[in-house]
Each structure stands twice: as C-alpha cells, then as structure tokens.
Amino acid sequence: MADYVTDTNGWSIGAEIALHPVKLACGGTSVTPFGLLGAAAMWGDAEAAARWWEYERVMTGKLPIQASPELAERYGVEQVDDDEAAAPEAVEVVAEVEVDPCDWLLLSEYHATDRFVMAVEEWAATGAVGRPPDARAHVLEVVTERRQCAKVP
C-alpha cells in the first residue's frame, strides 16, 4: 500500500503536487478532470463542461486519500484542516517563479511542464542563486529538440 500511495511515476514530490492539472489520463480513451476543464474552456466542448460540473459537484468536500486517525496517531502525524495547512506560516517558501500563462500553456502542450518544474526545483535546491529558470526558454528548447528529431531519418 505504501508503494502505491507514494508512487510518483518518477516525478519529484513537488512535480507530483504542482503538476496535477497537467497529468495525462491512463489509456487511450480516458480523460483527466482537468482535461475536461481544458476542453470546455479552450474549445467550448459542452459535453466536457457538463462532465466537469458533474465531477466538481460529486467531489466537493471529498478527499482522494486520507489517513485514518489511528494511522496518523501511530506515526505522530498531526492532522490539520485545509485552512491551517494553507496558512502562510505553515509553509517555508524557498523560492518563487512567475510564469506567463501563455508560456505555461505551451509547456503543457509540449508535455514539458515536468522538465520546467524540475529545473525550478534544482535551482531552488542550490539556494536560488542567479536567475530562475525561464519558461519560454524551456519551450524553445523543447521545440528545437522536436525539430531536430523530425529531421533525423
């Protein structure tokens, strides 16, 4: 069970948390909830919008994974509500990176958000010295790589 709950498919914990909206569904016919939202918002897909609203309605107030009180007590984990967890003093901010929404959409389109988040994590882990990673530069890097791959016979 522990392996299942902690499996991040090779992503860092930061990427697993931050990139939930851009994760791809398994299988060829599945759609993630945020895939539904994207289809509704970007293309006006009425069926996707209806399915998103259904998802939102049934998931309101639900937690996907929650430790039992006994498990939390056994390992000394203090359970807090969302407001307490989101309190500014509860989180030590190591670094902040501002990303233009268009650049983030391009990173998402090229499935490169994980690369960018990992670059930000590496930058922060080294003390956030120098300029932070540039999302637009990552987009251009991915586009260049894809062009080079397309030219290879």
Side-chain angles (χ1 to χ4, degrees), residues 33-56:
F34 284 95
L36 293 172
L37 181 60
M42 294 174 72
W43 302 301
D45 185 328
E47 181 181 346
R51 291 176 63 197
W52 166 261
W53 286 115
E54 177 184 5
Y55 169 80
E56 189 173 283

Side-chain angles (χ1 to χ4, degrees), residues 36-143:
L36 293 172
L37 181 60
M42 294 174 72
W43 302 301
D45 185 328
E47 181 181 346
R51 291 176 63 197
W52 166 261
W53 286 115
E54 177 184 5
Y55 169 80
E56 189 173 283
R57 181 180 51 77
V58 299
M59 291 304 293
T60 299
K62 306 277 191 310
L63 297 173
I65 298 176
Q66 182 176 3
S68 69
E70 294 82 14
L71 184 64
E73 182 180 333
R74 178 178 179 181
Y75 290 100
V77 175
E78 181 184 347
Q79 294 190 347
V80 297
D81 65 21
D82 290 345
D83 291 332
E84 287 177 276
E89 63 275 359
V91 178
E92 178 188 352
V93 176
V94 176
E96 289 184 19
V97 176
E98 190 171 316
V99 179
D100 181 279
C102 292
D103 291 340
W104 188 258
L105 285 173
L106 286 170
L107 285 168
S108 298
E109 183 66 27
Y110 286 108
H111 304 290
T113 51
D114 56 339
R115 284 173 54 169
F116 179 68
V117 168
M118 285 188 255
V120 170
E121 287 179 339
E122 288 174 16
W123 171 73
T126 60
V129 177
R131 295 179 58 94
D134 180 28
R136 186 159 299 161
H138 272 73
V139 170
L140 294 174
E141 187 178 299
V142 171
V143 169

Side-chain angles (χ1 to χ4, degrees), residues 1-14 16 23 65:
M1 181 60 128
D3 289 340
Y4 174 77
V5 172
T6 59
D7 179 24
T8 60
N9 294 316
W11 290 22
S12 67
I13 294 299
E16 184 68 21
K23 291 177 79 173
I65 298 176

Side-chain angles (χ1 to χ4, degrees), residues 21-36:
V22 296
K23 291 177 79 173
L24 300 175
C26 297
T29 59
S30 300
V31 179
T32 63
F34 284 95
L36 293 172

